[in-house]
Amino acid sequence: ISKNQTANAVTIINYEDIQNRTVSSISDLLRDVPGLAVSRSGVRGSQTQIRIRGSEANHLLVLIDGVEANSPAQSDELNWGTLVAADIERIEVIRGPQSSMYGSDAMSGVINIITKSALKTSMNIFSERGGFATQNNGVSIGYKDKLFNFRIGLSHINTDGDNISRTGTEKDGYENKNINFKSSLKINEKLKTSFSLRRSNGMNEYDSDTNFDGLIEDQDKVAKFDNTIIGLKTDYLSTDRIRQHHLSITQSKNDNQDFNEGFRGTSTSSIKDQVKFISSIFWNEFNHRISVLAEHEKEKFSQLGVINDYGIYGIFDPNQNQNRKTNSIAFEYRADILDDITIAISSRQDYNSEFKDSNTYRFEGIYDFSETVMLRSSYGTAVKNPTFTERFGFYTNFIGNPDLQPEKSTNWEIGYDQKFNNGDFRLSATIFNSELENEIDGNALDPITFGYTAMNKTGLSKRKGLELNSYSKLNKNLTINFSYTYNDSTELNGINEYQDEVRRPRNISSLNLLWKPNDLIILNTNIQYNGSQKDIVYPQNVKLSDFTITNFSVNLNINKKMEGYMRFENIFDENYEEVYGYKSMGFGAYIGIRYKL
């Protein structure tokens, strides 16, 4: 559906935005989206989490070409550190709960990443060099005719990085090799099929805390990853466009291995298989639509590691194989009941092999005051099932809790959107409120062994806030994007008092200035502010200082086939931490070229 037909708060990052920023990591682009908080544990390629509206990182569902990319092998999260920006066409961010359509992992929102398709027969090459001995290269080949098209893209990024820990000189590097393939075939006027594959594998070096003082020390540790997503889809659209059907068969596979001083330690792997069928019918001049979904999902999880004796804590055997299945049905009714009023109702029923059956629902209302002013609101529920790690344990003295119950939330939001001067100025504001029940505390103390475990907390965790976003086209050459988020995210502590949740700054803002002085050059200035926040150094919380990062890029249109660019990151060499004890990247300069054949 179009953006103005939904009550959701939506941000779209298009191909032009990605090109102008010239970043190598998608998470760097998402820092500009209101409602999103990014936490990276050190340098490029390090573990990176994204939280929407103060929720947990595994409350966010990530789709790549419609395939669920969240990894059961990593606590149902996507490690954004492994996701490069190469071959990405468009990013759609939906903030707010979407469990009534997408199920457990979509408790706080959905990010839909769309990779590039072949628009014509072509070949493209890019190459970049820069700070921290970074090399980033790629090539793509595309073919298209009236019925069939395909595109394959290859990219490789490698960097020596910098030292993650506060002391020492040992550098922590990163490497990522990526392949992206996408094709489609038009069988006839009604039927089309498509296939997509994206695979990335590589490694990132990291440090850890060996003396348990809360600060990490230089370590010769390496995490290797191998992630693959595959999707086969068939779409049917009747000649009169009244009936629409979609069938998809998808798989995501993740393998992770850790090495310490060259010796293999622990490893995790997961496979998620999903079959989904959606059928939609339109009527009353396409003003009404009802859609029905049927879905089957099977997840497998395995873990290998060394059996350890922790004395009074007991013997811990991390080796295990687990699986779970979920069958789901859902429906959505969406209608323009009047010229200026749109409503939507959706509901989903999940039948899970491990938990009680769950039902989620959502109501939406949109009122168009005029062609330039829109008021939107929604109310709904969401659910998040416990992860394999929370239920069955980890590598050290972490004890699984198979009796965990799913987290549940109730949510509402109200949004206002307005356009001025024929759309050259746009303003959007959203207030939101969420109450989370059965929040899973992954740092609870087991009363028998005194090891760590996960438990459902009593009481409610509360999240509320405000999102602002504006777009200003001052003239044909100058545009300004601004976003601001106020987020108040609290939970009950051990003495039944509300405290701020960790890694959730109350204030986040972003300013992006794009200037095109002529047809040959594009200048982009990006300023990101991250307010102070709490982090945990067990058993206490610490305060991380606020920081401001300024980035600058220059794009040069050399000729019709060749483009050059320069990017300057953290130009004032700000010293900051997004996760306690993990140093972030300092100033870096990069130069690159793109060539079209």
Side-chain angles (χ1 to χ4, degrees), residues 3 5-12 33-36 52-53 92-98 108-111 362 364 366 374 376-378 413-417 428-432 466-469:
K3 186 178 177 181
Q5 289 180 304
T6 175
N8 291 304
V10 177
T11 297
I12 296 173
V33 178
L36 272 61
I52 291 186
R53 294 180 173 177
E92 301 171 337
V93 183
I94 304 175
R95 303 185 296 281
Q98 306 296 318
S108 68
V110 176
I111 295 182
R362 179 177 171 87
E364 297 180 28
I366 305 165
M374 182 175 76
R376 49 187 168 79
S377 63
S378 67
E413 66 181 82
I414 299 175
Y416 174 84
D417 303 304
S428 177
T430 305
I431 58 174
F432 60 88
L466 166 70
E467 298 167 349
L468 295 175
N469 183 246

Side-chain angles (χ1 to χ4, degrees), residues 87-219:
D87 300 307
I88 303 301
E89 176 71 25
R90 177 183 172 95
I91 304 172
E92 301 171 337
V93 183
I94 304 175
R95 303 185 296 281
Q98 306 296 318
S99 286
S100 63
M101 296 295 291
Y102 291 99
S104 167
D105 291 335
M107 178 174 254
S108 68
V110 176
I111 295 182
N112 182 34
I113 299 169
I114 302 169
T115 64
K116 292 181 181 178
S117 301
L119 300 178
K120 60 181 180 179
T121 300
S122 62
M123 180 177 180
N124 296 275
I125 301 171
F126 76 88
S127 183
E128 176 185 301
R129 299 291 185 273
F132 310 100
T134 300
Q135 299 184 44
N136 189 11
N137 304 294
V139 60
S140 65
I141 299 174
Y143 170 82
K144 183 175 183 180
D145 61 25
K146 292 182 179 180
L147 301 178
F148 174 73
N149 69 77
F150 79 88
R151 184 185 185 279
I152 184 169
L154 305 172
S155 67
H156 179 210
I157 183 170
N158 184 71
T159 177
D160 288 350
D162 202 354
N163 189 24
I164 293 177
S165 64
R166 292 181 178 178
T167 59
T169 58
E170 176 260 354
K171 294 183 178 181
D172 297 294
Y174 165 61
E175 182 180 19
N176 192 333
K177 292 175 285 186
N178 191 82
I179 179 171
N180 196 86
F181 179 82
K182 198 172 183 181
S183 67
S184 68
L185 173 65
K186 184 178 180 181
I187 299 174
N188 54 44
E189 293 300 321
K190 301 179 182 179
L191 200 61
K192 182 181 76 171
T193 185
S194 60
F195 175 79
S196 62
L197 179 148
R198 187 175 178 93
R199 181 183 180 187
S200 62
N201 67 85
M203 69 85 193
N204 70 282
E205 298 171 335
Y206 69 101
D207 301 328
S208 65
D209 180 13
T210 57
N211 56 10
F212 304 103
D213 64 348
L215 293 174
I216 62 172
E217 295 82 36
D218 276 350
Q219 301 287 312

Side-chain angles (χ1 to χ4, degrees), residues 18 47 63 71 79 87 106 116 138 162 198 202-203 219 224 244 348 353 386 459 462 471 493 497 503 518 547:
I18 299 172
Q47 173 74 22
L63 306 174
S71 171
N79 180 6
D87 300 307
K116 292 181 181 178
D162 202 354
R198 187 175 178 93
M203 69 85 193
Q219 301 287 312
K224 295 185 177 182
Q244 182 176 325
R348 180 180 175 115
S353 62
K462 300 181 179 181
Y471 168 85
N493 59 17
E497 294 179 345
R503 301 181 190 173
N518 51 55
F547 59 88

Side-chain angles (χ1 to χ4, degrees), residues 9 25 32 39 46 97 189 237 239 241 243 280 296 306 324 336 345-346 366 391 449 462 478 492 561 563 589 597:
S25 174
D32 296 333
S39 301
S46 301
E189 293 300 321
L237 180 63
T239 304
R241 309 182 72 85
R243 296 181 306 279
S280 302
H296 172 74
V306 179
R324 63 189 179 200
D336 299 324
I345 304 170
S346 57
I366 305 165
R391 298 186 67 214
T449 65
K462 300 181 179 181
L478 181 62
L492 289 171
K561 293 185 177 182
E563 298 175 356
L597 295 177

